């Protein structure tokens, strides 16, 4: 067995070595000039990469290949990829002149001959020299399954025999072998391109065979053979009484005695048929497009020990080994393709356009600027714009802004300009600054109002913007909010929640202010009402940092100084511009305006959207009502809208939410830090309605029919390839094409209300070759994560 494996390894290595360019080992001996010339003359290397799966190839090949189809005016050839049929896309290419499509569907036939070698109980080394092996013949029909795997059906007829001469035993036999079976042949097609004429292979199969074993015991005259110790053959036994009269005999090698009928060891009528399992290797040499030469070696592991008539159960010196009687088959065969048709060479397209067309094409000027497109460096110039000899708009002052968009045509050289071509000189910046200061202190400035901490101020700075502002920080939690504090927070009209970058800390704040003094006054109101931990924090985006007392004092002082400077500058501006609007600011008084505000005793109405075990993005709710996230109870994430002053406002919002898909949303009421039943408010409540005041209940207001699962087939970033992608998915049903906000085109298929159904469909698509398909979830046609979808469906 070890020698068989060694033989296969040597055969494969010799085949690969014969196809290797050994000249490369001498590159280090070349001079720089010789090495450069070598690479100039070197042929284009063959790419062996076929992409994530064989049929598709890499994405660049599939994109470019359809773009190289021949046209009526230009003769073009399709891209060639070793191992991939260029005719698959209707394109021609180099390689065989036979059609791969025909070869893929039709079998090949081969006839071979070789020698059957014995490996069993006879001989001292138990195997036979190939020189004394018997002839055999085989007929084979093969069908290619994949570019690297082939199924073979074969029959074989031949003789297997051995002649043993030893001091203590002289046995011989010859067996008629009739076999038939099948095997799989792997020819390294996924590693070695079709362009190579020699291709190694290995094979494994199963074969059933019949055998009729006979032995040569008598010469042509019927005299039995007696083997003497001197190596001669006599007609009498050595040591018999009349041995001196023995005559020499010569074997006639005619095997006349049936071994089974002889029954020398008492085996009886054993079956003269068995199974074998051949493994082998070899090489296929391509002679022509239709004819191959196959060199083959196979070792047959059989299930019988009766081929030679000797086994480990034989008697006396006839006893053999425990090994079954195996055999080898070394052969060569000619394989012929009866079906393949020669590939029809495509005729080159003829140019059907006349000289007048090409002359008009050369002089075409689509932007009508007087410069032909072939010479136009700036195609698409707006109509009527003066251009230079290269078709580009004139720019007399060379400031980078063409004349037709330049508000200052004579900007000095080297002066930076704005988008309108105006030079940014010292006078320009002085004017800009004066305008900025006038806008900052004029009547158009926003006045910031403050009230009690239940007020909803619509003019405050929006949380989450990149502008730095100040807020009143009420509390920070690393875990859940206690139930009693939850009701208190929901009683505050402008409460906000922000999750810090650590992902666990949630900061609850009230209001957002440009002036530090306004935030301090708001903080003092909270402290006056019993919240001693209220403090001032700085917010920028989603970053919230607490302001210390020392820093707070410094900020207030600086604000007072800046405001004094602004007031003085405003007075100077008013004096310099007596016809302008009086923009003076009263620095001694602060107007307190209560605009749509809540008093401490008012009821705050909110609409409950859902409470979930796992966190979901607030963007899932996709509503203009504003969504507040609070982590409560045993890690329950609760989502509610902002507060409303009247039940009519809250009811209108709730009705709008129902239409949007939140059918189970409901209204709750809070007053003086507690949740109260709706029947204790101005709301009209049916007497039979029993309100559940449990703030730790898990629920979802979402209409579950709006949660769907789809299979995304791919996303296209370049619209120029849209037609190619449409062609790829044209045979699928329910393909949806959607343009995203980023300009990409998303292809999806199917629509399922459950994840399991979507997964089954994804596997079906994968079986069809769409290996990149994956499941996406949507709610109200907007993509959400799979985890969020599963949470909404609970």
């Amino acid at each position: 067995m070890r020698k068989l494996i060694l033989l296969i390894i040597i055969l494969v290595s010799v085949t690969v070595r014969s196809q290797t360019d050994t000249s490369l080992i001498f590159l280090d001996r070349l001079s720089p000039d010789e090495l450069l010339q070598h690479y100039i003359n070197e042929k284009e290397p063959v790419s062996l990469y076929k992409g994530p799966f064989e049929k598709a190839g890499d994405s660049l090949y599939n994109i470019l290949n359809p773009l190289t189809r021949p046209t009526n005016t230009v003769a073009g050839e399709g891209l060639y990829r070793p191992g991939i049929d260029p005719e698959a896309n209707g394109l021609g290419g180099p390689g065989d002149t036979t059609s791969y499509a025909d070869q893929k569907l039709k079998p090949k036939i081969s006839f071979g001959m070789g020698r059957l070698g014995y490996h069993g109980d006879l001989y001292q080394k138990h195997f036979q020299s190939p020189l004394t092996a018997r002839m055999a013949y085989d007929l084979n029909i093969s069908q290619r399954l994949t570019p690297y795997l082939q199924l073979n059906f074969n029959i074989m007829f031949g003789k297997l025999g051995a002649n043993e001469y030893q001091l203590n035993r002289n046995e011989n036999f010859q067996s008629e072998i009739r076999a038939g079976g099948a095997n799989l042949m792997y020819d390294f097609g996924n590693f070695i391109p079709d362009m190579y004429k020699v291709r190694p292979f290995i094979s494994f199969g199963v074969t059933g065979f019949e055998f009729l074993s006979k032995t040569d015991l008598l010469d042509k005259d019927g005299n039995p053979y007696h083997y003497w110790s001197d190596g001669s053959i006599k007609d009498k036994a050595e040591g018999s009484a009349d041995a001196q009269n023995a005559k020499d005999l010569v074997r006639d090698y005619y095997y006349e005695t049936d071994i089974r009928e002889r029954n020398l060891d008492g085996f009886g009528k054993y079956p003269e048929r068995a199974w074998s399992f051949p493994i082998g290797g070899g090489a296929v040499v391509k002679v022509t497009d239709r004819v191959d030469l196959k060199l083959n070696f196979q070792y047959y592991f059989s299930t019988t020990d009766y081929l030679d008539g000797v086994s480990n159960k034989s008697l006396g010196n006839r006893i053999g080994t425990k090994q079954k009687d195996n055999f080898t088959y070394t052969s060569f065969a000619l394989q012929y393709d009866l079906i393949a048709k020669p590939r029809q060479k495509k005729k080159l397209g003829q140019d059907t356009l006349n000289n007048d067309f090409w002359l008009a094409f050369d002089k075409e000027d689509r932007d009508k600027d007087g410069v032909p497109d072939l010479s136009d460096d700036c195609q698409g110039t707006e109509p009527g714009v003066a251009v230079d000899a290269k078709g580009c708009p004139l720019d007399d002052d060379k400031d980078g802004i063409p004349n037709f968009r330049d508000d200052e045509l004579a900007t000095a050289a080297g002066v930076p300009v704005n988008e309108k071509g105006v030079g940014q000189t010292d006078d320009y910046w002085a004017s800009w600054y004066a305008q900025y200061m006038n806008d900052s202190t004029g009547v158009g400035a926003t006045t910031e109002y403050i009230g009690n901490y239940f007020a909803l101020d619509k003019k405050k700075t929006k949380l989450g913007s990149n502008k730095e502002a100040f807020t009143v920080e009420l509390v920070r939690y690393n875990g859940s909010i206690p139930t009693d504090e939850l009701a208190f927070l929901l009683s505050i009209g402008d409460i906000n929640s922000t999750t810090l970058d650590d992902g666990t800390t949630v900061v609850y704040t009230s209001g957002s202010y440009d002036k530090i003094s306004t935030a301090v006054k708001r903080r003092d109101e909270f402290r006056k009402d019993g919240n001693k931990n209220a403090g001032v924090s700085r917010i920028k985006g989603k970053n919230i940092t607490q302001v210390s007392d020392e820093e707070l004092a410094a900020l207030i002082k600086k604000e007072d100084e800046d405001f004094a400077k602004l007031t003085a500058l405003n007075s100077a501006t008013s004096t310099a511009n007596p016809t302008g609007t009086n923009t003076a600011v009263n620095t001694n008084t602060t107007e307190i305006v209560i605009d749509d505000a809540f008093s401490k005793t008012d009821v705050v109405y909110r609409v409950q959207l859902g409470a979930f075990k796992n966190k979901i993005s607030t963007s899932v709710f996709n509503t203009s009502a504003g969504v507040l996230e609070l982590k409560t109870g045993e890690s329950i994430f609760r989502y509610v809208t902002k507060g409303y002053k009247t039940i009519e406002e809250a009811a209108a919002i709730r009705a709008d939410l129902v239409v949007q898909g939140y059918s189970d949303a409901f209204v709750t009421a809070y007053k003086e830090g507690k949740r109260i039943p709706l029947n204790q408010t101005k709301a009209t409540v049916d007497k039979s309605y029993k309100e559940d005041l449990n703030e730790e209940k898990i629920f979802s207001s979402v209409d579950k029919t709006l949660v769907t699962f789809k299979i995304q087939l791919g996303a296209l970033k370049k619209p120029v390839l849209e037609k190619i992608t449409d062609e790829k998915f044209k045979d699928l049903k329910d393909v949806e094409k959607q343009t995203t906000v980023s300009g990409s085109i998303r292809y999806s298929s199917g629509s399922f209300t459950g994840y399991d159904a979507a997964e089954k469909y994804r596997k079906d698509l994968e079986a069809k070759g769409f290996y990149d398909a994956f499941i996406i979830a949507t709610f109200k046609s907007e993509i959400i994560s799979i985890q969020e979808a599963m949470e909404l469906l609970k």
Side-chain angles (χ1 to χ4, degrees), residues 479-758:
S480 302
I481 304 173
T483 304
D484 56 341
E485 293 193 22
L486 171 65
F488 170 76
L489 293 174
L490 292 178
S491 299
I492 302 174
D494 57 354
I495 190 70
N496 291 299
S497 66
T498 304
T499 302
L500 301 185
D501 291 338
D502 60 9
T504 59
T505 303
V506 182
V507 182
Y508 293 91
T509 60
S510 179
S512 179
Y513 310 98
D514 293 328
K515 295 181 179 180
I516 188 66
S517 57
T518 309
V520 170
K521 291 178 181 179
R522 188 71 183 278
R523 179 205 64 181
D524 293 343
E525 289 185 4
F526 276 105
R527 289 184 176 180
K528 181 179 179 181
D529 288 322
N531 191 341
K532 302 299 183 184
N533 294 323
V536 177
S537 294
R538 179 184 285 104
I539 57 175
K540 186 173 184 180
K542 288 191 175 182
N543 296 320
I544 300 181
T545 55
Q546 295 174 332
V547 180
S548 64
D549 292 341
E550 293 79 7
E551 186 180 1
L552 196 60
L555 289 172
I556 293 174
K557 181 179 179 181
K558 185 177 184 302
E559 183 180 287
D560 292 341
E561 293 175 351
D562 291 343
F563 194 73
K565 292 179 181 179
L566 279 175
T567 303
L569 181 60
N570 181 60
S571 299
T573 304
S574 299
T575 302
N577 184 22
T579 60
T581 303
N582 187 354
T583 57
V585 177
N586 187 348
T587 60
N588 297 321
T589 61
T590 303
E591 182 180 3
I592 300 177
V593 178
I594 307 299
D595 182 17
D596 195 22
F598 287 82
S599 68
K600 188 174 182 180
T601 57
D602 280 347
V603 176
V604 178
Y605 297 94
R606 297 183 186 271
V607 182
Q608 300 278 346
L609 298 174
F612 307 93
K613 273 289 188 182
N614 298 301
K615 182 176 180 178
I616 62 177
S617 173
T618 55
S619 61
V620 169
F621 295 100
N622 191 21
T623 174
S624 60
V627 180
L628 180 66
E629 176 188 282
L630 303 102
K631 185 178 181 183
T632 65
E634 294 296 329
S635 296
I636 298 174
F637 293 88
R638 185 172 301 277
Y639 299 88
V640 300
T641 67
K642 69 178 184 179
Y644 298 94
K645 189 174 182 181
T646 66
I647 184 63
E648 289 78 13
E649 290 179 291
I653 292 298
R654 189 256 176 193
D656 182 59
L657 289 170
V658 170
V659 173
Q660 294 182 43
Y662 310 100
S663 55
D664 292 334
F666 60 93
V667 179
T668 55
Y670 299 88
K671 181 179 180 181
E672 296 180 345
K674 297 180 181 180
R675 179 177 172 183
I676 61 174
L678 288 176
N679 57 16
Q680 295 181 13
T681 68
K682 295 181 180 180
T684 302
V685 182
D686 191 299
K687 293 182 178 180
S688 62
Y689 173 70
K690 293 183 179 180
E691 184 177 358
D692 187 356
L693 299 178
N694 182 10
E695 292 283 66
E696 297 184 359
K697 180 178 67 175
I698 296 178
F699 76 96
S700 174
S701 66
V702 171
D703 183 355
K704 294 181 175 55
T705 61
L706 298 178
V707 179
T708 59
F709 297 92
K710 299 181 179 182
I711 309 302
Q712 180 163 320
L713 303 171
L716 189 64
K717 294 184 177 180
K718 296 183 178 180
V720 69
L721 304 176
E722 184 176 354
K723 290 185 178 180
I724 300 174
T725 309
D726 289 345
E727 182 71 16
K728 179 180 179 181
F729 300 135
K730 69 176 182 179
D731 294 331
L732 296 180
K733 296 181 179 179
D734 302 328
V735 174
E736 180 181 345
K737 186 166 63 172
Q738 180 184 13
T739 302
T740 66
V741 293
S742 63
S744 299
I745 300 176
R746 180 189 298 118
Y747 289 84
S748 62
S749 177
S751 180
F752 306 92
T753 57
Y755 180 85
D756 293 339

Side-chain angles (χ1 to χ4, degrees), residues 41-159:
N41 299 330
E42 187 179 28
K43 294 182 179 180
E44 184 72 18
V46 176
S47 173
L48 303 182
Y49 176 67
K50 298 183 181 180
F53 51 95
E54 181 205 351
K55 291 183 179 180
D58 61 79
S59 58
L60 185 61
Y61 173 78
N62 283 314
I63 291 173
L64 293 181
N65 198 33
L67 302 181
T68 58
R69 295 182 181 275
T71 65
N72 291 330
T73 58
V74 181
E77 290 291 338
L79 299 179
Y80 172 65
R81 171 62 56 80
I84 295 181
D85 176 30
E87 289 291 339
N89 291 324
L91 305 173
D96 294 346
T97 60
T98 55
S99 171
Y100 178 79
D102 289 335
Q103 292 179 353
K104 185 176 182 181
L105 299 175
K106 306 298 181 180
K108 296 181 180 181
I109 188 170
S110 67
F111 176 77
M113 60 186 300
R115 288 180 173 270
L116 286 173
Y118 165 77
H119 187 189
D121 299 290
L122 305 187
Y123 298 122
Q124 185 175 0
K125 294 185 178 180
H126 305 295
F127 67 87
Q128 181 182 44
S129 169
L131 299 177
T132 59
R134 269 70 166 177
M135 289 296 298
Y137 305 91
D138 69 272
L139 182 66
N140 189 86
I141 297 177
S142 62
Q143 170 65 54
R144 182 165 294 280
L145 304 178
T146 71
Y148 53 84
L149 201 61
Q150 186 170 303
L151 178 62
N152 300 322
F153 299 94
N154 56 77
I155 57 175
M156 180 178 64
F157 303 91
K159 293 182 179 180

Side-chain angles (χ1 to χ4, degrees), residues 33 60 70 74 99 183 246 254 284 361 372 394 411 413 437 472 512 629 721 729 768:
D33 293 338
L60 185 61
V74 181
S99 171
N183 65 67
Y254 177 75
V284 176
F361 179 79
L394 298 178
T411 305
M437 296 305 298
V472 178
S512 179
E629 176 188 282
L721 304 176
F729 300 135
K768 295 179 181 179

Side-chain angles (χ1 to χ4, degrees), residues 157-181:
F157 303 91
K159 293 182 179 180
L160 179 69
N163 293 283
E164 178 188 54
Y165 299 98
Q166 298 190 45
L167 293 177
N168 62 338
R169 188 173 71 182
N170 293 272
E171 297 289 340
N172 63 76
F173 83 97
Q174 181 171 279
S175 182
E176 297 281 347
I177 301 294
R178 297 179 295 275

Side-chain angles (χ1 to χ4, degrees), residues 256-509:
E256 75 287 331
T257 304
D258 190 299
I259 293 178
R260 187 177 71 169
E261 297 297 330
R262 185 186 182 197
N263 199 20
L264 185 62
D265 297 314
F267 295 152
K269 298 289 186 179
Y270 54 80
E272 292 183 311
R273 56 186 175 274
W275 292 98
S276 65
F277 302 95
I279 63 171
V284 176
V285 181
K286 195 169 192 62
V287 180
T288 69
D289 290 341
R290 291 178 179 269
V291 179
D292 298 329
L293 175 64
K294 182 187 294 185
L295 306 177
N296 183 36
F297 174 82
Q298 289 182 298
Y299 188 93
Y300 287 77
F301 293 91
S302 77
T303 59
T304 183
D305 199 17
Y306 297 122
L307 282 175
D308 53 12
V310 178
S311 76
N312 63 328
K313 297 180 181 179
S314 296
L315 304 176
N317 60 2
R318 286 173 46 81
I319 189 170
T321 65
K322 294 182 179 180
Q323 176 183 319
K324 302 293 184 181
D325 292 335
N326 302 324
F327 55 93
T328 64
Y329 182 48
T330 306
S331 67
F332 71 92
L334 287 177
Q335 180 173 269
Y336 188 71
D337 190 342
L338 299 173
I339 307 298
K341 301 176 182 178
R343 176 180 292 147
Q344 298 296 327
K345 293 185 177 180
K346 293 188 176 182
K347 296 182 179 180
L348 297 179
Q350 296 182 352
D351 190 349
T352 60
L353 303 178
N354 55 32
N355 293 334
D356 292 337
F357 170 84
W358 291 115
L359 182 61
F361 179 79
D362 291 343
K363 295 183 177 181
E364 184 176 10
D365 180 16
R366 284 173 291 181
D367 57 6
K368 310 300 181 183
D369 61 358
V371 180
D373 290 346
L374 294 179
S375 303
D376 197 335
D377 290 350
C378 301
Q379 297 190 29
T381 305
E382 295 182 14
V385 175
V387 298
D388 58 18
K390 295 183 178 180
C392 293
L394 298 178
D395 179 16
D396 295 337
D397 54 7
K398 309 298 182 185
D399 59 358
I401 307 297
N403 291 349
F404 75 96
R405 289 197 292 110
D406 199 334
D407 290 350
E408 188 178 85
L409 296 176
T411 305
V415 175
V417 297
N418 61 12
E419 68 278 4
K420 295 183 178 181
V422 177
Q424 296 175 326
T425 61
D426 292 343
D427 293 338
Y428 170 86
W429 288 116
S431 176
W432 178 89
Y433 182 74
Q435 182 64 35
Y436 167 76
M437 296 305 298
N438 184 64
D439 291 342
S440 300
T441 58
V443 293
T446 299
T447 304
E448 185 172 8
Y449 301 102
I450 63 170
N452 64 66
Y453 64 88
F454 287 95
L456 288 178
D457 190 347
K458 298 182 180 178
K459 297 182 179 180
K460 297 181 177 64
T461 303
K462 185 178 179 181
L463 278 173
S465 66
N466 290 324
K467 182 180 179 181
E468 184 178 84
F470 299 97
T471 186
V472 178
E473 181 177 325
L474 301 176
V475 66
R476 293 189 179 208
Y477 287 109
N478 287 321
S480 302
I481 304 173
T483 304
D484 56 341
E485 293 193 22
L486 171 65
F488 170 76
L489 293 174
L490 292 178
S491 299
I492 302 174
D494 57 354
I495 190 70
N496 291 299
S497 66
T498 304
T499 302
L500 301 185
D501 291 338
D502 60 9
T504 59
T505 303
V506 182
V507 182
Y508 293 91
T509 60

